[in-house]
Amino acid sequence: MNPRRASKPIQIGNVTVGGSAPIVVQSMTKTDTRDVMSTINQIKGLEGCGCELVRVAVPDAEAARAISAIKRGVSIPVIADIHFDYRLALMALEAGTDGLRLNPGNISHPEKVATIAYAARERRVPIRIGVNAGSLPKAANPRLTVAQQMVDAALQQIKLLESLDFDLIKVSLKAFDVPTTIDAYTSIAEKIPYPLHIGITEAGTPRTGIIRSTVGISTLLYLGIGDTIRVSLTAHPRKEVIAAYEILKSLNLRQHGPILVSCPSCGRAEVDIIELAEAVEEKLLKIDKPLKVAVMGCVVNGPGEAKDADIGIACGKHRAVLFKKGKKIRTIQEKDFVTVLMAEVERF
Ligand code: SF4
């Protein structure tokens, strides 16, 4: 795995992105931002599962103004997602937004960008230049690859912000196509010092979207690229946060809650491992300790993996051996598998 690319850290509210800060998990609300209570409730739910930054859509002035009340009801920094109308960015700043996301595909006029940059600089609010393959600037050169066009769009906006003495910058270059996204990020990573927000856009429903996002995000993280991630899913944003942490945990980049090791089951298993693992996984979602928990189907790999975990069971016929830190604790009956395992997890 490559060492992490050096980047210039920025501060979004109380969260540092880039530099040596942990890779930050973010998501976006799916409520109408003007509906302050629903938006606060969704953000609080996201905070509960570890979301560290949240973006809200700002389609009009009422949504921009709502940021002020939303911020009073939540603990994590709120980023305003702005398209088309630069005045909405100014209103969001006025309402106390912690960050802005601008799309150079629909806000690129130098004077408008300058007006936003001056107001953001005054408040020390960072701007994400969020390039999207689906909304490239009209001036993009069609002879270039989509990845190159995305990089060019970001570089032009960066140049403009730098000329205005604004450097609280974060960049994203998202496409649905995974190789295009990887090409774009690997290209820009060598050209700029700013932190990168990575993700695959419009990745789909959890069934396919988590795989698509994992392939793209993990490849980049393995190359040392990425300071904050979002898994974009056509689903409740809680699923985005859970998936993002699973990616980071798989690469040993963050610790967050338990890791479940479970065998795939096969003809040797004498208990329903699929049902058992799903039941344990569901219960582990409520645990925030960084534990390794193993649920194994038989004596072939079972005892080895279960012993390697902090807590584990290796099942046999109607019974299982419970292990804790490599030591056999006792034998448990099938009807008690979940309750005993979870009681040990709670006690650990
Ligand atoms: Fe099959 Fe046993 Fe391996 Fe599970 S641990 S997959 S039951 S051999």
Side-chain angles (χ1 to χ4, degrees):
M1 188 150 151
N2 287 0
R4 185 152 159 215
R5 159 186 169 268
S7 66
K8 192 172 168 176
I10 54 167
Q11 199 65 27
I12 304 176
N14 58 0
V15 173
T16 306
V17 176
S20 58
I23 294 166
V24 173
V25 170
Q26 58 175 289
S27 186
M28 184 167 180
T29 53
K30 304 188 181 191
T31 51
D32 183 337
T33 307
R34 294 164 294 197
D35 180 347
V36 171
M37 274 327 293
S38 298
T39 305
I40 287 176
N41 286 338
Q42 191 162 85
I43 296 174
K44 281 181 163 299
L46 293 175
E47 288 172 1
C49 57
C51 183
E52 295 166 309
L53 288 177
V54 69
R55 186 158 44 112
V56 298
V58 180
D60 61 18
E62 194 184 339
R65 283 192 293 270
I67 289 175
S68 163
I70 292 167
K71 271 189 58 68
R72 283 197 296 277
V74 304
S75 310
I76 56 175
V78 175
I79 298 170
D81 192 63
I82 311 288
H83 296 267
F84 304 111
D85 188 347
Y86 80 104
R87 291 168 301 183
L88 296 175
L90 301 178
M91 287 179 211
L93 286 166
E94 198 63 42
T97 190
D98 298 293
L100 289 172
R101 181 272 169 118
L102 303 182
N103 181 343
N106 54 45
I107 301 181
S108 58
H109 193 283
E111 271 178 34
K112 292 174 180 169
V113 174
T115 308
I116 300 170
Y118 292 140
R121 191 178 59 195
E122 210 169 282
R123 295 169 171 82
R124 305 289 303 158
V125 169
I127 295 176
R128 164 154 73 97
I129 299 173
V131 179
N132 195 306
S135 52
L136 286 165
K138 286 189 187 69
N141 181 351
R143 285 194 300 272
L144 299 177
T145 64
V146 173
Q148 287 167 333
Q149 291 179 54
M150 289 163 73
V151 171
D152 274 7
L155 291 176
Q156 275 176 33
Q157 192 93 307
I158 290 168
K159 212 167 134 194
L160 174 58
L161 289 176
E162 287 176 339
S163 73
L164 300 163
D165 201 19
F166 187 91
D167 65 353
L168 306 174
I169 298 171
K170 176 164 54 107
V171 176
S172 66
L173 307 169
K174 296 188 187 178
F176 171 77
D177 185 66
V178 173
T180 298
T181 308
I182 294 170
D183 287 350
Y185 277 107
T186 48
S187 168
I188 206 159
E190 297 171 346
K191 297 179 173 69
I192 59 168
Y194 304 111
L196 295 174
H197 164 82
I198 62 171
I200 302 297
T201 196
E202 291 116 27
T205 60
R207 194 163 59 89
T208 51
I210 290 175
I211 295 170
R212 182 168 278 276
S213 296
T214 304
V215 172
I217 293 172
S218 304
T219 304
L220 288 165
L221 291 173
Y222 192 82
L223 294 171
I225 295 169
D227 301 286
T228 172
I229 68 172
R230 180 198 175 194
V231 175
S232 303
L233 296 175
T234 314
H236 192 282
R238 182 179 146 83
K239 288 193 173 22
E240 299 186 353
V241 175
I242 294 168
Y245 275 111
E246 288 305 322
I247 292 172
L248 294 173
K249 288 193 303 189
S250 301
L251 289 166
N252 300 331
L253 289 168
R254 291 283 302 263
Q255 283 196 333
H256 182 82
I259 292 173
L260 176 64
V261 179
S262 64
C263 83
S265 188
C266 72
R268 286 182 200 277
E270 293 180 282
V271 295
D272 188 340
I273 287 295
I274 299 171
E275 192 182 306
L276 176 61
E278 283 176 356
V280 172
E281 184 178 57
E282 193 57 36
K283 293 209 178 290
L284 288 177
L285 284 175
K286 297 188 180 72
I287 307 288
D288 55 14
K289 297 172 212 170
L291 296 176
K292 193 170 176 189
V293 178
V295 174
M296 302 299 291
C298 80
V299 291
V300 175
N301 295 320
E305 284 289 356
K307 275 166 81 177
D308 192 42
D310 293 306
I311 297 163
I313 53 172
C315 301
K317 192 168 187 175
H318 305 310
R319 288 191 302 182
V321 177
L322 176 72
F323 290 90
K324 194 166 167 182
K325 279 281 176 202
K327 288 206 178 69
K328 186 176 160 182
I329 303 292
R330 63 187 167 104
T331 301
I332 48 179
Q333 298 300 314
E334 189 170 352
K335 66 177 177 39
D336 302 323
F337 285 175
V338 178
T339 38
V340 171
L341 189 66
M342 290 311 299
E344 287 298 336
V345 166
E346 296 279 1
R347 238 194 316 269
F348 194 83

